[in-house]
Amino acid sequence: MALRRVLSLWFPRLAVERVLRARRDVMPGPFAVVGMRDQAQVLISLNPQAEAAGLRLGQPLRDATAICAHLLTAAEHAPGDRAFLAALRRWAGKFSPWVAEEPPDALVIDLTGCAHLFGGEEGVLAQMAEDCADLGLTVRAAVADTRGAAWALARYSGAVAQTDRNGDAIQQEARATRSRAVTRRAGAAALPLTGPLGVIAPPGTMRQALAGLPLPALRLRPKVVTSLGHLGLRRVEDIAGLPRAALARRFGADTLTRLDQAFGQVSEPVSPARAPLHFAVRISFPEPIGLVEDVAAGIDRLLPVLCAKLKAKGRGVRLLRIEAQRADGTADWADIGLARATYEADRLRPLIAMKIAGFDAGFGFDRLRLEALETELVHQIQHRGHLDAAAAAMARVKDGPRFDDLVAKLGTRLGQEAVVRLHPADSHIPEKTFSVLTAAWSAPASGEWPEPRAPRPVVIFRPEPVQAPDDRSPPARFRWRRRDFALRVAVGPERLLPEWWWDDPNWRSGPRDYWRIEAESGDRLWLFYAHGGEASGGWFCQGLFA
């Protein structure tokens, strides 16, 4: 079995270089990416010109602008950085199929059995350095036997252990560590691992390669690093030979885990990201086509292939894109949304036919393409017994055509957001007893619609003022919408109040007493008397009964 080799790629200026690639500045000056950290704007990524100007990572923006008045900045965009790192992961797949991301600015690659394809590990680093130079990226690379060692060498190779203590460090160290500090000063130097393209640790030399690195190279918690520093332990070799039981008891078992991962005593595999599911098919024609029938015939050849791919993965398409490319290089396309995911060609074909009828062939189409932009898991229907099957058949007969297909057809013609359904809502306010949901992205309401405690009008609208005496009793005569009404029957009142936790501007006129009014003209109105509050009260009309 081949010895495992791991490559770590660290992009220390990923955020700022991503922004500069998009800006395409010919001669950029000092530039920094600014992010919010602990309610303060600080520098999180710098280009070389900004570092040459004396700026540093983590520095507050106000201090940085005082040092470098002509500093240019851009706001942090974490989603853009993640997408850029994902693109670099796909690029790194040329070196090995085992590539994983180490957010926010690094990749890890398992090179086992792959380096010889590039002429060895030196060839891999040379190809990597050339590609990153073409991309305008700064990269630090290291190859080692373990993931932890490669991570440490990529970031801390050549670094010197620092301390925040003043005075002679030896005099301040604990008595038990003084002899170790003297031995460390007189010990042998670390192996020369650094090359012009990166760091390569020879196989089997992880202890020697990591001995002189500072403790943060082991990915320890900052609190643990500080505590070890107070004891005079600042380098990896300082803790590598300590009693393991005492070290774990005082600084936690994760300290030993990180140490063992770096030395290869605990496995730390590289788990590559799964390739995203992609369902698309296309067909090219020797001669351009322009008739709708010809386009439909091409779709009939593509659709079974696409549905077979979806079915093999147990997926159903929820959003389908049809793209027809013309002979002159232009294209026409349309998206189809479905109320329920499916891989059945018979359900997709009528929806596609509605869209391709509006395509403009121009000089003719020479290529058709279908792509499932959004897919969902589709569960097969389990076979049932005779009684269940009979009940399902009766339900299908009762319901008529498949409602999902109807919603999909209406959504294709009118737009998915235009087809809605109502769900009951928990409120005693009449205009709030329902919620409007998009039919394609919601399920029918379960159970019966709750009955109101009093009859409700067929039509409800915003309250409209009624000219009537300011009296709580129903008016014998009133005027509404330029018409005079005479009271025949009044039923009520029904007092309604809004939720106490909800400040609704429409209810600032105070409590309402609702009345069902029947006028001598035959009109049946829904009137209420507002008792007044932040807004003036009076009589209003809000609905019409049948």
Side-chain angles (χ1 to χ4, degrees):
M1 181 177 178
L3 184 65
R4 185 178 180 223
R5 299 293 282 172
V6 179
L7 168 63
S8 178
L9 299 179
W10 177 40
F11 304 93
R13 301 191 179 102
L14 180 70
V16 69
E17 288 173 342
R18 180 190 65 83
V19 176
L20 292 177
R21 279 169 51 86
R23 289 170 57 96
R24 299 181 183 274
D25 291 343
V26 179
M27 296 183 63
F31 197 92
V33 174
V34 179
M36 295 296 297
R37 300 292 186 271
D38 297 330
Q39 304 300 321
Q41 288 185 317
V42 299
L43 307 184
I44 62 172
S45 185
L46 304 171
N47 68 343
Q49 291 82 353
E51 293 179 353
L55 305 183
R56 55 179 175 81
L57 296 178
Q59 188 175 25
L61 178 60
R62 60 179 183 274
D63 297 343
T65 52
I67 297 174
C68 182
H70 55 284
L71 175 67
L72 299 178
T73 61
E76 180 186 18
H77 188 248
D81 294 340
R82 288 193 296 267
F84 189 46
L85 187 62
L88 292 176
R89 173 180 53 81
R90 293 190 292 271
W91 156 78
K94 65 186 293 185
F95 302 110
S96 171
W98 294 82
V99 183
E101 300 176 16
E102 289 186 327
D105 54 6
L107 299 174
V108 58
I109 307 170
D110 193 335
L111 282 180
T112 306
C114 299
H116 70 279
L117 301 175
F118 299 86
E121 295 173 352
E122 295 81 359
V124 172
L125 295 184
Q127 182 63 49
M128 176 271 304
E130 181 181 353
D131 292 349
C132 290
D134 294 338
L135 295 173
L137 299 177
T138 302
V139 63
R140 295 185 61 179
V143 181
D145 293 346
T146 64
R147 182 173 179 174
W151 189 95
L153 292 172
R155 289 160 176 78
Y156 292 96
S157 178
V160 178
Q162 300 291 336
T163 178
D164 55 355
R165 305 169 70 185
N166 298 323
D168 187 0
I170 292 296
Q171 296 300 327
Q172 296 182 31
E173 290 174 352
R175 179 177 302 177
T177 63
R178 291 181 182 177
S179 60
R180 182 177 302 275
V182 174
T183 304
R184 183 184 61 210
R185 287 183 176 181
L191 292 177
L193 304 170
T194 304
L197 301 176
V199 181
I200 299 178
T205 61
M206 295 306 99
R207 287 184 175 271
Q208 297 89 330
L210 301 178
L213 300 185
L215 287 179
L218 293 178
R219 297 173 292 177
L220 302 178
R221 291 174 294 154
K223 183 178 180 180
V224 173
V225 173
T226 302
S227 300
L228 290 170
H230 291 165
L231 299 177
L233 306 173
R234 303 187 183 92
R235 301 198 298 180
V236 175
E237 63 180 354
D238 294 341
I239 67 172
L242 293 180
R244 295 175 60 85
L247 189 64
R249 183 170 57 253
R250 182 162 186 179
F251 300 103
D254 56 337
T255 302
L256 289 181
T257 301
R258 289 302 190 184
L259 190 64
D260 292 341
Q261 287 175 343
F263 291 158
Q265 297 173 353
V266 173
S267 176
E268 190 177 8
V270 177
S271 301
R274 294 183 57 185
L277 294 175
H278 183 68
F279 302 97
V281 291
R282 67 180 181 183
I283 185 173
S284 300
F285 306 108
E287 295 291 338
I289 61 175
L291 299 179
V292 176
E293 293 79 7
D294 295 338
V295 176
I299 295 295
D300 288 338
R301 297 185 62 180
L302 292 177
L303 200 54
V305 180
L306 178 65
C307 292
K309 291 183 177 181
L310 290 168
K311 186 176 181 179
K313 294 294 185 180
R315 312 286 296 187
V317 60
R318 194 68 186 268
L319 182 62
L320 178 68
R321 171 164 294 180
I322 315 163
E323 186 176 351
Q325 298 181 6
R326 302 186 184 92
D328 59 355
T330 60
D332 207 346
W333 58 272
D335 292 341
I336 297 176
L338 287 88
R340 181 170 297 179
T342 182
Y343 53 73
E344 300 176 9
D346 293 337
R347 296 183 61 186
L348 296 172
R349 191 174 289 108
L351 305 179
I352 296 176
M354 297 171 61
K355 289 294 186 180
I356 63 177
F359 282 3
D360 181 13
F363 294 99
F365 299 122
D366 59 0
R367 179 179 297 177
L368 296 178
R369 186 172 183 268
L370 296 180
E371 181 181 2
L373 298 180
E374 295 182 9
T375 62
E376 295 179 359
L377 286 174
V378 176
H379 302 284
Q380 295 286 352
I381 299 177
Q382 185 178 3
H383 293 288
R384 294 167 291 184
H386 295 289
L387 294 178
D388 293 338
M394 293 298 296
R396 288 196 298 269
V397 173
K398 180 180 178 181
D399 295 340
R402 303 184 69 169
F403 183 74
D404 294 336
D405 293 342
L406 175 62
V407 172
K409 291 180 180 179
L410 293 176
T412 301
R413 184 175 296 274
L414 305 176
Q416 295 293 335
E417 300 297 331
V419 185
V420 299
R421 61 161 51 101
L422 302 182
H423 274 219
D426 187 12
S427 178
H428 61 276
I429 304 300
E431 58 269 30
K432 295 181 180 180
T433 55
F434 63 91
S435 58
V436 181
L437 304 177
T438 303
W441 304 102
S442 60
S446 60
E448 298 293 335
W449 195 279
E451 292 289 338
R453 60 181 182 179
R456 293 292 180 248
V458 177
V459 180
I460 296 180
F461 41 79
R462 294 180 63 86
E464 299 178 359
V466 173
Q467 297 181 11
D470 189 8
D471 188 3
R472 299 183 180 182
S473 301
R477 294 185 178 276
F478 58 92
R479 185 176 178 83
W480 175 62
R481 290 186 176 178
R482 300 182 181 180
R483 291 180 56 192
D484 294 325
F485 297 87
L487 178 64
R488 175 183 294 175
V489 178
V491 180
E494 178 190 4
R495 175 161 294 189
L496 295 180
L497 289 170
E499 292 83 355
W500 60 268
W501 62 87
W502 185 262
D503 184 17
D504 190 346
N506 297 323
W507 281 79
R508 291 178 179 174
S509 56
R512 299 177 180 179
D513 291 337
Y514 281 87
W515 295 81
R516 302 195 304 274
I517 301 294
E518 182 177 348
E520 294 182 355
S521 59
D523 297 280
R524 302 180 63 197
L525 309 177
W526 202 39
L527 271 62
F528 70 83
Y529 178 78
H531 290 258
E534 296 182 11
S536 58
W539 284 95
F540 297 84
C541 181
Q542 195 178 355
L544 300 174
F545 290 92

